[in-house]
Amino acid sequence: MDKIIVLDFGSQYSHLICRRIRSFSAYAELASYNITISKLKKLKPKGIILSGSPFSIYNKNHPMPKNNIFNMKVPILGICYGHQLIVDNFGGTVKNANKEYGSSILSIKNDSKLFSGVRNNTKAWMSHGDEAIDIPHGFKVIASTNRSHAAAIENKKEFIYGIQFHPEVIHTENGIQILKNFVLRICRSKQEWNMENFVTKTIKKISTINENVICGVSGGIDSTVTALLIHKSIGDRLKCIFVNNGLLRFEEEKIVREIFSKIGIKIIVIDAKKRFLTRLKNIYEPEKKRKIIGEEFIKIFSEYSKNNNKIKWLAQGTLYPDKIESGMSKGPSSIIKTHHNVGGIPNWMKLKILEPICDLYKDDVRKIAKILNVPDNIINRHPFPGPGLAVRIIGEVNPKKLKTVRIASKIVEEELKKSQMYNKVWQAYAAMGDDHATGITGDKRKVGNIVMIRIVNSIDAMTADWSRISYAVLENMSNRITNEIDEVVWVSYVISSKPPATIEPQ
Ligand code: XMP
């Protein structure tokens, strides 16, 4: 299959470039910014994109591609930092000059293939402090903005392009068209990528594994799809384990048993409530909680695999955003949260890791689930984090807080379903910390807990906005929570978007 390689210089949005390219059925994948030329040649790219970066090319030790990258005789597009790398490499000048953040108007100067079908004076999203001042010999300016003369440059002969703005961000009005022009017209890449092909290829690839595989399943869509793909490849050599860690949603174990009996895969249920809760006693720091939970999962999987010496692989439903937030993407980006299934894996683990969907986003996984005939009620279940309610409880995790959060979340979900809103939002739950507030019941003062309701809309969990739920629905949730959970006197609604907040409180 034709492919475009995106070299990741650490921008939080590098993978979005791949995602946008895949949205028009061409195939793109990320590679590390310093991949060797011989490895890159083996990938046979039809074109190369140099991503943005949190670094400036003037930072000491700024990320650099291998020298010969510009001699590969394939089209190259540099975006933001990538654009400045091109200017610098070919002898132009980049300076810390006109800062430009947010929307700018792009004035197209020249007839370039890159802007075919793109309206003049279109909006382009900028985020840069450095600017290309002198463009190198052999290049010409093909678009400018008020603050950036060389907002887009081209070396037509060498098929090298640089753009200062971000076409992968939705705020760039014709961003997809510009990426299409580069990928389809300039690189001449074929549109061969779709989820059906992904499923067929993945099953074929996994079928080459001769050993047994264990897969930790949670009843969530990611691990369910992972298990199904592997089951289709190696049948009963896959052992699915469901760990009840005591941090789960209301009646989760029962629901998971039903899901797997419906899709016809046997699961082994391990009751580990006590060991998780014991280890979480007196732990307040969020990253520590995540590490402990990740480690405990791995201990359980390793113990199980010791008794079955044919097991050599641990499969996980890791998604791409999990890797980005854990700082495990292919570029030099920073850690936001250690997802238990990524950065939380201790280095003593002997099992090899199998992550068939680790380059996909949630909506891709939902498409695969449809192809694999997963029932709709499973596909539409809200995402639930691997560390479970532990990341929705601020401060120490204990049975009392777990019970409160579990019942409050159940009420939130029930009220959303009643008002036909459950499938319209990304995620909805209740969280709590150690704060107390004063209430009054039956003429008596009562000091109790505060519960927070969090309901968000999102497309891929990389960004999110709080849901504008009707007051009537919120009122029902609040009334039920304070009436049905004795310990709670106050209910608040979280109205922070991501960024600056994240979806889960910890
Ligand atoms: P945040 O809180 O980072 O969450 O905005 C983004 C999405 O990821 C889910 N999430 C996790 N999923 N392991 C998971 O499998 C984790 O450690 C984890 N932490 C957050 C979260 O529920 C949201 O959908």
Side-chain angles (χ1 to χ4, degrees):
M1 180 165 42
D2 285 354
K3 67 171 74 124
I4 302 293
I5 295 295
V6 178
L7 294 193
D8 181 7
F9 290 89
S11 156
Q12 284 291 312
Y13 299 107
S14 296
H15 201 263
L16 263 188
I17 305 169
C18 298
R19 188 163 154 69
R20 299 286 180 238
I21 294 174
R22 291 183 195 178
S23 77
F24 51 85
S25 302
Y27 182 69
E29 67 181 40
L30 275 190
S32 171
Y33 67 94
N34 59 1
I35 183 172
T36 61
I37 300 297
S38 64
K39 274 194 189 151
L40 194 52
K41 277 188 177 155
K42 272 194 201 136
L43 295 172
K44 297 193 182 131
K46 293 288 282 184
I48 295 172
I49 294 181
L50 313 177
S51 82
S53 174
F55 292 87
S56 152
I57 67 163
Y58 291 111
N59 286 146
K60 217 173 142 201
N61 301 328
H62 65 278
M64 286 282 287
K66 295 289 176 207
N67 273 345
N68 296 340
I69 189 144
F70 295 106
N71 299 330
M72 281 194 49
K73 301 272 173 246
V74 291
I76 292 181
L77 171 67
I79 295 176
C80 194
Y81 176 85
H83 164 69
Q84 293 161 9
L85 278 176
I86 291 172
V87 172
D88 188 56
N89 179 78
F90 287 95
T93 316
V94 177
K95 268 206 171 136
N96 190 280
N98 274 332
K99 289 189 179 20
E100 201 178 15
Y101 292 100
S103 204
S104 282
I105 300 295
L106 198 66
S107 156
I108 297 172
K109 303 280 176 210
N110 270 295
D111 190 24
S112 164
K113 262 192 189 172
L114 193 65
F115 291 134
S116 169
V118 174
R119 205 167 38 81
N120 194 13
N121 297 326
T122 183
K123 277 189 197 155
W125 197 77
M126 296 280 193
S127 178
H128 65 108
D130 293 345
E131 187 197 346
I133 304 287
D134 294 319
I135 64 157
H137 181 69
F139 285 77
K140 71 178 178 196
V141 172
I142 51 174
S144 305
T145 68
N146 267 349
R147 297 177 74 83
S148 229
H149 170 62
I153 58 170
E154 150 185 275
N155 181 330
K156 205 169 169 181
K157 205 167 130 232
E158 301 292 334
F159 297 101
I160 297 177
Y161 297 79
I163 49 181
Q164 184 56 70
F165 56 92
H166 289 264
E168 72 275 22
V169 169
I170 45 168
H171 313 290
T172 296
E173 276 174 349
N174 287 281
I176 292 266
Q177 183 61 40
I178 293 166
L179 287 173
K180 265 188 183 170
N181 289 339
F182 178 70
V183 172
L184 306 180
R185 293 174 66 105
I186 296 168
C187 302
R188 297 179 176 275
S189 185
K190 290 195 209 83
Q191 290 165 286
E192 299 167 318
W193 163 258
N194 58 49
M195 284 301 143
E196 280 83 2
N197 280 347
F198 175 86
V199 169
T200 316
K201 282 197 167 163
T202 305
I203 292 175
K204 203 167 147 199
K205 206 162 145 193
I206 300 172
S207 305
T208 59
I209 292 181
N210 295 321
E211 300 118 330
N212 289 3
V213 177
I214 54 172
C215 179
V217 294
S218 66
I221 182 94
D222 311 335
S223 57
T224 306
V225 162
T226 301
L228 267 168
L229 285 169
I230 302 171
H231 194 254
K232 284 196 181 298
S233 313
I234 63 168
D236 287 342
R237 281 197 287 119
L238 168 72
K239 313 287 170 200
C240 286
I241 298 186
F242 171 74
V243 177
N244 187 340
N245 58 9
L247 307 167
L248 303 175
R249 286 175 282 199
F250 189 75
E251 293 195 332
E252 188 95 54
E253 185 178 319
K254 185 172 150 234
I255 296 168
V256 171
R257 284 183 190 274
E258 282 164 10
I259 290 174
F260 278 84
S261 111
K262 233 184 224 167
I263 60 178
I265 299 183
K266 243 177 39 202
I267 55 167
I268 299 137
V269 176
I270 294 179
D271 182 352
K273 296 190 213 75
K274 228 180 179 168
R275 62 192 274 185
F276 275 86
L277 290 194
T278 308
R279 281 211 62 195
L280 288 170
K281 239 184 187 163
N282 292 320
I283 304 294
Y284 292 82
E285 215 262 302
E287 277 297 282
K288 215 165 179 187
K289 281 187 200 171
R290 284 175 172 270
K291 289 264 185 210
I292 288 173
I293 293 166
E295 200 176 272
E296 224 36 50
F297 268 116
I298 299 300
K299 275 190 191 160
I300 291 170
F301 297 144
S302 299
E303 285 160 19
Y304 181 83
S305 62
K306 259 190 204 143
N307 301 326
N308 183 333
N309 60 13
K310 287 197 181 131
I311 294 176
K312 296 284 182 249
W313 293 85
L314 171 66
Q316 306 197 107
T318 309
L319 295 188
Y320 195 77
D322 305 346
K323 290 204 295 185
I324 299 176
E325 297 209 332
S326 300
M328 305 288 270
S329 64
K330 305 208 168 162
S333 52
S334 69
I335 295 181
I336 296 167
K337 286 179 186 178
T338 310
H339 282 235
H340 78 292
N341 46 341
V342 189
I345 294 181
N347 44 21
W348 49 257
M349 197 194 63
K350 299 244 163 43
L351 297 166
K352 293 180 272 187
I353 300 271
L354 178 62
E355 294 175 320
I357 55 171
C358 70
D359 280 326
L360 305 184
Y361 284 80
K362 188 73 97 190
D363 52 339
D364 298 324
V365 179
R366 290 201 164 115
K367 281 184 203 146
I368 297 180
K370 278 226 178 280
I371 296 169
L372 298 176
N373 294 321
V374 174
D376 274 352
N377 60 339
I378 302 174
I379 295 179
N380 295 331
R381 274 194 101 196
H382 286 175
F384 186 62
L389 300 179
V391 294
R392 294 180 177 173
I393 290 176
I394 299 167
E396 191 197 32
V397 178
N398 61 40
K400 215 167 153 194
K401 279 157 100 181
L402 279 167
K403 191 173 159 213
T404 299
V405 166
R406 192 172 280 134
I407 297 176
S409 286
K410 175 183 85 107
I411 293 171
V412 169
E413 288 199 7
E414 280 174 358
E415 290 304 318
L416 272 188
K417 281 178 185 159
K418 248 193 247 166
S419 60
Q420 319 287 327
M421 286 300 294
Y422 182 85
N423 288 340
K424 294 188 180 144
V425 303
W426 172 267
Q427 228 165 336
Y429 63 83
M432 73 182 292
D434 292 313
D435 288 344
H436 285 81
T438 306
I440 175 162
T441 47
D443 291 338
K444 270 203 202 118
R445 173 187 157 91
K446 179 179 168 187
V447 176
N449 293 117
I450 304 173
V451 155
M452 295 166 273
I453 297 176
R454 178 92 162 127
I455 308 177
V456 296
N457 295 346
S458 179
I459 294 170
D460 51 26
M462 295 299 292
T463 58
D465 196 9
W466 59 281
S467 301
R468 272 59 171 177
I469 296 295
S470 84
Y471 287 166
V473 175
L474 289 174
E475 187 180 3
N476 284 342
M477 288 175 185
S478 170
N479 283 342
R480 280 194 58 196
I481 289 171
T482 47
N483 283 328
E484 293 174 35
I485 311 173
D486 209 29
E487 290 78 10
V488 182
V489 286
W490 276 32
V491 176
S492 62
Y493 189 55
V494 181
I495 54 166
S496 301
S497 57
K498 174 183 179 177
T502 52
I503 295 178
E504 304 290 352
Q506 296 206 317

